Amino acid sequence: MQIEAIFAYVVPLVFIWAIYLPARKRLEVRAVAKLAASTEAGLLEPASLHPIIDRAKCIGCASCVRICHEGDILGLIDGKSELVEPSRCIGHGACNAVCPADAITLVFGTARRGVDIPNVYPNFETNVPGIFIAGELGGMGLVRNAIEQGRQAIDSVRMVNGIDIPGVLDVVIVGCGPSGFSASLAALQHKLRFVTLEQDTLGGTVAQFPRGKLVMTAPFTLPLAGTFNFSELSKEELIAFFESIVEKTGLEINAGERVETVTREGNLFEVKSTRATYKTRTVLLTIGRRGTPRKLGVPGENQPKVVYRMIDPEQYRGQHVLVVGGGDSALEAACEIADQPGTTVNLSHRSESFSRAKLKNRERVKQAQEAGRLNVMFSSSVKCIGVDEVEVNWNGEVRSFSNDAVIVCVGGILPTPFLESMGIQVETKYGTR
C-alpha cells in the first residue's frame, strides 16, 4: 500500500518534469539564439525606458518573459531572465510590475548611449514647484503610459496648495497629445479651471505620424470616457476616437496656439502664448520630446523639397526620394513610399544597422530591398542636397543620386532651452532612473 502511494505521487511528478524540463530547455535555446542574433546585428541599444535584471535576485520564474506585450524581448538564460532583444523594448514596464523578487529596475539610457531626461519626481512635479511633466517629454513614449500619466499628473496638481485662487487658472496644460488629452479630460472631470494649449492639432505628435501608422497595442482608460480594449488603432482611428470624446464631453482645446514663455510670479505662473496671457497656479507640460526637428546641417537643406516628417506617401508617387534616418519613422516612411508606383527610394543611415527600429520594420525594409524597391545605404551621410540630385558619402565614396524629395527622420532636439528658461533641470541618464 505504501509503495502504491509513493508511485501515485512520484509518477505524475516525473511525468510533469519530463515535459517541463525539455520545454524550458527549448525556450532557453531560443533565447540564446535571439541574444546572439541581436549581438551580431548590433541591436543592443534600447530606444528608451527598459529593464535591467539583477541576476542575484532573479528566481527564474519567467513571469516577466510571459507578460511582455511585444513578444520575446526577455528570455531565460542559465535560469535567469535576460533582455535578449533590447532594440525592440518599448518601455511599457509590465515586467517590472509582475516580478515577485524585485529583480527588475526600469532605467533610461545605457552606459554607451545617454538619454536626456528632465528631473521629475514620482508625482510628476519638476524641480520647479508648480510645474509638472507627463508623457513623452519625461521619457514615457508609449501611448498607453502617456495617457495614464496625464491622468495621474492631474491628481497631483489637485494636491497643490493654492488651487482655487479667485481669478487664476488652476492649471495650464501645454500640449494635447495622448498625455495632454487625458490630463484635460481629468481636469474637466474634477472641475478644475484650466486651459489646454496645443501648437498644432488634437493628437499632438501622433497627428504627425505617417498615414495608417499603428499607435495602440494595449488597453487604456480615459477620464470621463472609460476603459477601452483596443488591440490596435491606426493614427487616423485614434484621432477620430479622440474627436468623438471631445464632442461628447464638450472639452475645449486651443489648437494652433503655441506657448512662448512661462514665467514665475511668486506662487503663480504667467504663461504667454501666441494668442493670450494666462495666470495660473500650476503648469503641466505634455509637449513630447521632439521639440525642434534635428537637421542635417548640409548645403541645400533649406529647399522646400526637404521635410522632416512623412504624412502621405502618395504625394511621392513617381518620384526619386531620399529618406534619412535609422529609426522606426525613417523605416516606415521609406517602405510606405517604396510601395507607391514608380518611386525610386534610397534610405541613408549613418550606422551599420537599424539598432533602434522594431523588428517588423527591419523585416519590411529587408523585403522591400530584396524586391528591388528600396536601396539601403548603411554607414552613409548626406553631403549636399541639390535641385535635382543629392550627394551621399557612402563607405567613404561620394555618390550622386537623382532626387525630387528628401525626408529627414533623425529625431528632434529636446526643447532644453525652453525647459531651462523655466528653471527645469535636465539630466543625461546612462542606464539610471
Side-chain angles (χ1 to χ4, degrees), residues 251-272:
L251 177 66
E252 295 184 4
I253 299 166
N254 292 17
E257 184 170 355
R258 180 173 55 85
V259 172
E260 295 182 328
T261 60
V262 177
T263 307
R264 191 178 192 89
E265 295 186 351
N267 289 329
L268 305 179
F269 295 93
E270 181 181 84
V271 179
K272 288 186 177 181

Side-chain angles (χ1 to χ4, degrees), residues 12-330:
L13 286 175
V14 171
F15 179 74
I16 292 172
W17 279 102
I19 296 175
Y20 172 75
L21 290 178
R24 189 177 176 96
K25 183 62 178 178
R26 286 194 297 270
L27 290 175
E28 179 167 339
V29 169
R30 187 168 68 179
V32 170
K34 284 183 175 292
L35 180 58
S38 297
T39 302
E40 182 179 355
L43 304 175
L44 297 176
E45 294 294 328
S48 183
L49 189 71
H50 62 279
I52 57 172
I53 298 99
D54 186 337
R55 293 180 65 86
K57 292 183 178 180
C58 178
I59 59 176
C61 65
S63 296
C64 58
V65 177
R66 291 190 295 269
I67 198 64
C68 183
H69 304 306
E70 298 303 309
D72 298 331
I73 306 299
L74 292 160
L76 291 182
I77 297 178
D78 294 331
K80 304 290 183 178
S81 180
E82 190 161 339
L83 194 59
V84 296
E85 291 195 288
S87 66
R88 291 182 58 204
C89 181
I90 61 175
H92 53 62
C95 53
N96 172 260
V98 301
C99 179
D102 195 29
I104 293 179
T105 303
L106 299 176
V107 302
F108 293 102
T110 66
R112 294 195 307 170
R113 184 179 62 85
V115 175
D116 291 335
I117 300 291
N119 282 342
V120 180
Y121 297 111
N123 70 340
F124 304 101
E125 193 168 24
T126 68
N127 60 285
V128 180
I131 299 183
F132 296 76
I133 288 176
E136 187 186 13
L137 181 60
M140 300 296 284
L142 191 64
V143 170
R144 183 199 61 182
N145 287 346
I147 287 174
E148 181 63 18
Q149 282 199 357
R151 180 190 65 78
Q152 293 178 354
I154 290 298
D155 287 339
S156 296
V157 165
R158 294 169 56 211
M159 303 298 293
V160 173
N161 291 329
I163 292 293
D164 291 330
I165 299 175
V168 176
L169 293 173
D170 297 321
V171 60
V172 170
I173 300 170
V174 184
C176 199
S179 184
F181 183 63
S182 176
S184 300
L185 289 172
L188 184 64
Q189 179 182 42
H190 295 296
K191 297 179 171 58
L192 297 182
R193 292 168 300 175
F194 74 100
V195 63
T196 300
L197 311 178
E198 167 56 55
Q199 67 176 357
D200 292 318
T201 60
L202 173 64
T205 302
V206 171
Q208 309 304 323
F209 285 169
R211 189 182 62 180
K213 178 178 172 65
L214 296 179
V215 294
M216 291 298 305
T217 58
F220 60 96
T221 300
L222 282 169
L224 292 178
T227 300
F228 303 90
N229 191 20
F230 296 121
S231 59
E232 285 187 340
L233 277 180
S234 69
K235 172 195 95 170
E236 291 80 6
E237 290 170 335
L238 182 62
I239 297 299
F241 174 70
F242 282 177
E243 289 173 344
S244 69
I245 293 176
V246 168
E247 185 176 350
K248 291 176 183 177
T249 61
L251 177 66
E252 295 184 4
I253 299 166
N254 292 17
E257 184 170 355
R258 180 173 55 85
V259 172
E260 295 182 328
T261 60
V262 177
T263 307
R264 191 178 192 89
E265 295 186 351
N267 289 329
L268 305 179
F269 295 93
E270 181 181 84
V271 179
K272 288 186 177 181
S273 76
T274 51
R275 296 182 187 172
T277 299
Y278 305 91
K279 295 286 186 180
T280 181
R281 178 64 184 89
T282 65
V283 177
L284 172 58
L285 302 175
T286 62
I287 57 177
R289 290 181 56 80
R290 292 198 174 205
T292 304
R294 182 175 284 110
K295 297 188 176 183
L296 301 176
V298 300
E301 189 173 6
N302 60 344
Q303 296 179 71
K305 73 173 185 177
V306 181
V307 298
Y308 299 89
R309 61 174 180 259
M310 190 275 291
I311 301 298
D312 187 354
E314 287 188 1
Q315 73 182 86
Y316 299 104
R317 180 175 296 190
Q319 296 187 18
H320 297 276
V321 182
L322 172 67
V323 179
V324 184
D328 288 314
S329 295

Side-chain angles (χ1 to χ4, degrees), residues 1-13:
M1 182 71 72
Q2 188 174 5
I3 295 176
E4 292 177 354
I6 291 174
F7 271 97
Y9 285 103
V10 171
V11 171
L13 286 175

